Amino acid sequence: VEAAHGRMLDSTIAPATARIADLTAKPALLSVVGRAEGPAGDALHIATDTPLNAKLGKYLKGLTAGGRCALALDLELPLMHPASRVDGTLDFQDGTLDFPGKITLSHVNGPLQFTKTGVHGQGITATILGYPATVSAGTLRTDQVHMTYFEAQGQTDVAHLQGLKFIDLPFARALTGRTPWRAKLQLSESSAGGKVRPALLIESTLKGMGIDLPAPLGKAPAEPVNLTVRIDALGHPAPPSSFRYGRRLSGAMRMDGE
């Protein structure tokens, strides 16, 4: 079956082909190749409201998308058999992504490839915390753990840090300047399956940012001090968190989900 054009949800499909090469094969193999363009949210619906959900839905749970997106799919589905092959690409076109934990990416551009076992992306660009950033994604698999990650790096300033909904800055008035940062959102599960555990790791040298506080917390803008923040159980009402501020201060806490 060949379709020159069609519609799925609010997206346009053109072209698409569905083929069973040998009906007598056991199992018969359904091959589907197609491309769709439309709202980015449609691509998430296709992944979570179709048979793809069994493999991809757990990684997309809680994720919402806006803007435009092109979706390319190449599927092989053995009929009456659980095995399958999935290859696809989401090509974001000035889109938005809202991750669990109130993390927003805007002006997202670039391709994210996926299979039934994970995702891969390089050279994706976005605006995060008010400034341009680069984003990559991948899936790591061992005998014990499967982990899908989204990694980003960019820079930000105090005004945009104050806008974060999941971090309260009690000493915001003491901060000035802007600084580079790197963040990794990790979605891990045991190889036997089960609940996906999201965690967020944020790192910065704080170079370029001044902190007008008494010693040992204060620092000049040109002075680098490594800051590491880890938030586990992201999306939980009060996620457990830990931090380290150079050799000067470290601690653990539970963050207010409100």
Side-chain angles (χ1 to χ4, degrees):
V1 178
E2 295 186 0
H5 58 82
R7 294 191 67 82
M8 177 180 291
L9 301 175
D10 292 320
S11 297
T12 301
I13 300 174
T17 302
R19 176 180 291 110
I20 300 177
D22 184 358
L23 285 172
T24 64
K26 296 183 179 180
L29 187 64
L30 172 63
S31 173
V32 180
V33 178
R35 180 179 176 84
E37 294 189 13
D42 281 6
L44 294 185
H45 281 299
I46 291 172
T48 57
D49 293 341
T50 69
L52 295 179
N53 179 65
K55 289 296 183 180
L56 301 179
K58 55 193 171 185
Y59 297 116
L60 302 176
K61 185 178 180 180
L63 176 66
T64 60
R68 305 290 293 178
C69 182
L71 171 65
L73 275 178
D74 183 354
L75 311 177
E76 285 187 353
L77 305 173
L79 303 182
M80 306 300 292
H81 195 279
S84 62
R85 179 182 64 80
V86 178
D87 288 298
T89 301
L90 292 170
D91 193 357
F92 293 98
Q93 303 162 5
D94 200 34
T96 61
L97 289 173
D98 290 295
F99 286 88
K102 303 176 182 178
I103 303 169
T104 299
L105 282 63
S106 60
H107 304 295
V108 182
N109 290 281
L112 177 66
Q113 300 171 328
F114 61 87
T115 67
K116 71 175 184 177
T117 59
V119 300
H120 175 77
Q122 290 287 341
I124 301 171
T125 61
T127 297
I128 307 175
L129 296 176
Y131 290 89
T134 58
V135 181
S136 60
T139 298
L140 304 176
R141 303 173 68 86
T142 69
D143 291 339
Q144 291 78 34
V145 177
H146 299 167
M147 183 186 76
T148 292
Y149 68 87
F150 295 87
E151 190 169 23
Q153 58 183 350
Q155 60 178 331
T156 192
D157 56 28
V158 177
H160 287 94
L161 284 176
Q162 288 178 296
L164 285 175
K165 299 177 181 178
F166 62 92
I167 293 181
D168 183 21
L169 296 176
F171 306 116
R173 293 183 179 180
L175 307 180
T176 58
R178 65 185 185 185
T179 187
W181 56 268
R182 179 188 297 270
K184 178 181 282 189
L185 176 64
Q186 300 175 166
L187 306 170
S188 303
E189 66 170 336
S190 69
S191 58
K195 188 175 181 179
V196 173
R197 301 183 301 275
L200 178 64
L201 178 66
I202 304 171
E203 299 175 310
S204 175
T205 63
L206 296 180
K207 191 171 183 179
M209 182 169 287
I211 303 179
D212 185 15
L213 288 174
L217 300 180
K219 63 175 287 294
E223 179 186 6
V225 178
N226 291 329
L227 174 67
T228 302
V229 178
R230 181 180 176 89
I231 305 172
D232 291 300
L234 195 64
H236 188 276
S241 310
S242 60
F243 69 92
R244 179 174 294 277
Y245 178 56
R247 297 182 178 179
R248 308 181 187 190
L249 185 67
S250 63
M253 55 191 172
R254 281 190 176 271
M255 307 188 74
D256 185 352
E258 297 299 323

